[in-house]
């Protein structure tokens, strides 16, 4: 560690003393996604995905990087499972690659399913709880060729996929998550084209979102039919929006930002409706086609809600009917250029509890930061990441004290990986990956996290550990 941080190793990352997050029933984990770590895009009879197609287009990803190799997790899964156990976490959040486990005709690809069976079984043997996301953005390309999430039929194909995976892997999973960040899939994939499949039209984004959420509802039914009793939910990314201007138009811009970034997903899930201001103000004429019964499917009660949080945005009015992001000067930022603003996570959790009385138990399913980490003398001093996590842990602890039912926290990410359009330059991992040798090296943040978890276990009473 740097000389300016001489505190005991566990305290460099730990939540505040006496925090509910230090209790043995609070779930601590790390997270990854299939396309970002697996590589082996032609193994197991895996089909092409939209990210294979998108990242192969020149200029779509930084440096022309693709997920073809990634972290070679497909080959190194056993060692990676042991690495997760070595960290001492309670749980691991991973995703299934839809193109790896299902043939184009809808039949199971047993070779691909066996890969996940082996991984989940080894994790279970280590006593690690397994939280599985069904869709973390790698849509089979053959479905995109038929319209992707613009085609209502994709929601039904997703339900068939959910049923297949729940049937085949049920009993090896402690929690199911239908979708990861539908906002990103809809807006970045279909609204501004920054992510696969690279389309850019607000009308596409709103229709894609509706079909994604419809797929969630149908998938939830499929999970409960084929793996009854296992908790299931969804993962939403959320962002804090504020304005440094007191002008009412700028304050309204901040409100519209949070409406679009947060309530576009949460309101249909928890209240059964879309925010009208999206179609009336922000994107006139872009309301999706909603058929009778759709919203009842979407608003089915969930066992939990996953929340991913990373940063705050400073908003101003665009002078028309929307908002524009005006970055603040002299604030701490990560390698992504995102402002470090832990208070935003507390603010959002408290607001969601106030606005949505039926808010289910919450897990922080992603939180972390990218930095330009380098191995020097056999170690990686990532002081900023440790400080970042410690402050966000404290923000969640305050939200729990305020009555928000937060039950777990998954740090993003287990290891450096393919960061979508940013390729391999941006490093989010607790564990450093040398992409030439594939050597994994624990960063100082991983060592501090590990030490905190060891201390937590050591101070827990035997009775508490068995409840």
């Amino acid at each position: 560690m740097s000389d300016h941080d001489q505190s005991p190793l566990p305290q460099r990352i730990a939540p505040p003393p006496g925090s509910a997050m230090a209790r043995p029933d609070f779930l601590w984990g790390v997270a990854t996604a299939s396309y970002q770590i697996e590589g082996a895009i032609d193994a197991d009879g895996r089909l092409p995905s939209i990210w294979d197609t998108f990242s192969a287009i020149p200029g779509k990803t930084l440096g022309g990087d693709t997920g073809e190799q990634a972290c070679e997790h497909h080959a190194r899964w056993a060692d990676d499972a042991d690495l997760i156990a070595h960290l001492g976490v309670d749980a691991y959040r991973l995703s299934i690659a839809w193109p790896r486990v299902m043939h184009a005709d809808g039949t199971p690809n047993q070779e691909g399913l066996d890969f996940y069976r082996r991984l989940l079984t080894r994790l279970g043997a280590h006593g690690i709880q397994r939280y599985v996301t069904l869709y973390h953005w790698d849509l089979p390309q053959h479905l995109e060729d038929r319209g992707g999430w613009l085609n209502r039929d994709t929601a039904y194909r997703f339900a068939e996929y959910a049923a297949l995976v729940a049937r085949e892997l049920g009993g090896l999973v402690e929690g199911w998550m239908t979708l990861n960040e539908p906002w990103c899939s809809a807006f970045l994939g279909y609204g501004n084209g920054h992510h696969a499949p690279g389309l850019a039209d607000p009308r596409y984004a709103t229709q894609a979102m509706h079909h994604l959420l419809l797929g969630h509802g149908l998938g939830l039914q499929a999970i409960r039919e084929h793996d009854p009793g296992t908790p299931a939910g969804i993962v939403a990314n959320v962002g804090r929006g504020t304005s440094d201007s007191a002008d009412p138009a700028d304050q309204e811009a901040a409100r519209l930002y949070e409406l679009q970034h947060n309530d576009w997903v949460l309101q249909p899930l928890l209240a059964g409706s879309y925010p009208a201001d999206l179609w009336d103000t922000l994107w006139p004429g872009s309301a999706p086609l909603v058929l009778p019964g759709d919203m009842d499917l979407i608003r089915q009660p969930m066992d939990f809600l996953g929340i991913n949080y990373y940063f705050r945005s400073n908003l101003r009015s665009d002078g028309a009917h929307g908002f524009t992001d005006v970055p603040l000067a002299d604030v701490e930022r990560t390698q992504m250029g995102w402002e470090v603003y832990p208070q935003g996570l507390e603010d959002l959790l408290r607001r969601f509890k106030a606005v949505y009385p039926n808010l289910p138990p919450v897990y922080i399913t992603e939180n972390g930061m990218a930095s330009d980490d380098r191995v020097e003398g056999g170690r990686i001093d990532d002081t900023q990441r440790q400080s970042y996590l410690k402050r966000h842990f404290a923000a969640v602890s305050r939200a729990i004290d305020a009555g928000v039912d937060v039950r777990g926290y998954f740090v993003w990410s287990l290891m450096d990986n393919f960061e979508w359009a940013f390729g391999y330059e941006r490093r989010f991992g607790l564990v450093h990956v040398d992409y030439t040798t594939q050597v994994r090296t624990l960063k100082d943040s991983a060592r501090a996290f590990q030490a905190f978890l060891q201390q937590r276990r050591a101070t827990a009473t035997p009775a508490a550990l068995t409840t």
Side-chain angles (χ1 to χ4, degrees), residues 62-389:
L62 192 63
D65 291 339
T66 75
E68 183 175 2
Q69 175 179 317
C71 304
E72 295 185 355
H73 173 70
H74 184 267
R76 301 169 184 270
W77 63 271
D79 288 342
D80 287 341
D82 296 347
L83 173 63
I84 295 165
H86 178 64
L87 285 176
V89 296
D90 306 310
Y92 176 47
R93 177 182 172 231
L94 66 148
S95 76
I96 303 292
W98 188 347
R100 198 179 292 282
V101 300
M102 193 177 203
H103 296 302
D105 63 2
T107 58
N109 177 3
Q110 289 298 338
E111 190 175 0
L113 286 161
D114 284 345
F115 165 70
Y116 293 107
R117 283 195 191 95
R118 292 190 295 269
L119 173 60
L120 293 169
T121 299
R122 193 176 187 98
L123 291 166
H126 282 302
I128 296 168
Q129 296 186 44
R130 299 143 297 183
Y131 282 73
V132 172
T133 305
L134 291 175
Y135 183 69
H136 202 129
W137 306 355
D138 43 0
L139 184 72
Q141 182 62 43
H142 69 88
L143 292 179
E144 182 59 39
D145 293 341
R146 290 166 22 204
W149 291 109
L150 297 179
N151 184 349
R152 184 181 175 93
D153 184 65
T154 300
Y156 296 96
R157 302 291 77 76
F158 175 76
E160 292 175 354
Y161 158 63
L164 181 154
V165 174
R167 186 171 60 247
E168 295 277 348
L169 301 180
L172 296 174
V173 174
E174 278 73 38
W176 295 104
M177 302 168 186
T178 53
L179 308 177
N180 177 76
E181 300 184 349
W183 184 93
C184 291
S185 295
F187 188 75
L188 300 182
Y190 294 88
N192 68 10
H194 290 178
H195 280 187
L199 303 182
D201 188 319
R203 294 171 298 174
Y204 292 165
T206 59
Q207 195 62 62
M209 175 67 83
H210 182 66
H211 292 155
L212 281 155
L213 295 179
L214 180 63
H216 155 76
L218 293 166
L220 207 59
Q221 289 185 330
I223 291 168
R224 286 169 172 162
E225 178 182 354
H226 294 281
D227 190 19
T230 300
I234 193 172
V235 171
N237 61 299
V238 299
R240 183 71 170 113
T242 62
S243 180
D244 62 343
S245 165
D247 188 308
D250 295 329
Q251 292 296 314
E252 173 65 3
R255 186 189 73 86
L256 286 173
Y257 170 89
E258 286 206 0
L259 198 74
Q260 184 252 56
H261 209 85
N262 305 328
D263 299 283
W264 184 19
V265 175
L266 297 183
Q267 187 170 313
L269 288 170
L270 299 174
S273 63
Y274 289 107
D277 280 349
L278 290 179
W279 337 128
D280 297 343
T281 303
L282 197 57
W283 297 318
S286 65
L289 175 63
V290 178
L291 299 185
D294 284 1
M295 301 312 294
D296 290 334
L297 281 169
I298 291 170
R299 71 177 302 181
Q300 291 174 82
M302 297 178 288
D303 298 303
F304 62 84
L305 172 66
I307 291 292
N308 297 353
Y309 173 83
Y310 290 97
F311 60 92
R312 172 178 71 163
S313 295
N314 180 57
L315 291 313
R316 298 282 185 88
S317 170
D318 65 359
H321 48 257
F323 53 80
T324 185
D325 190 349
V326 181
L328 294 168
D330 301 321
V331 297
E332 181 186 356
R333 296 189 181 277
T334 70
Q335 188 190 20
M336 296 292 287
W338 296 343
E339 181 189 357
V340 178
Y341 191 69
Q343 183 61 44
L345 181 52
E346 178 188 352
D347 292 344
L348 290 172
L349 291 172
R350 292 171 68 125
R351 183 172 85 80
F352 298 155
K353 176 178 171 57
V355 172
Y356 301 110
N358 60 334
L359 183 73
V362 170
Y363 290 88
I364 306 303
T365 36
E366 287 185 27
N367 175 247
M369 60 158 285
S371 56
D372 184 18
D373 300 318
R374 303 172 187 272
V375 181
E376 297 178 353
R379 59 190 304 205
I380 303 99
D381 178 354
D382 58 345
T383 301
Q384 186 189 14
R385 179 174 290 106
Q386 294 166 72
S387 173
Y388 177 102
L389 290 171

Side-chain angles (χ1 to χ4, degrees), residues 13-26:
I13 206 167
S19 169
M21 299 168 72
R23 293 200 301 248
D25 59 346
F26 190 87

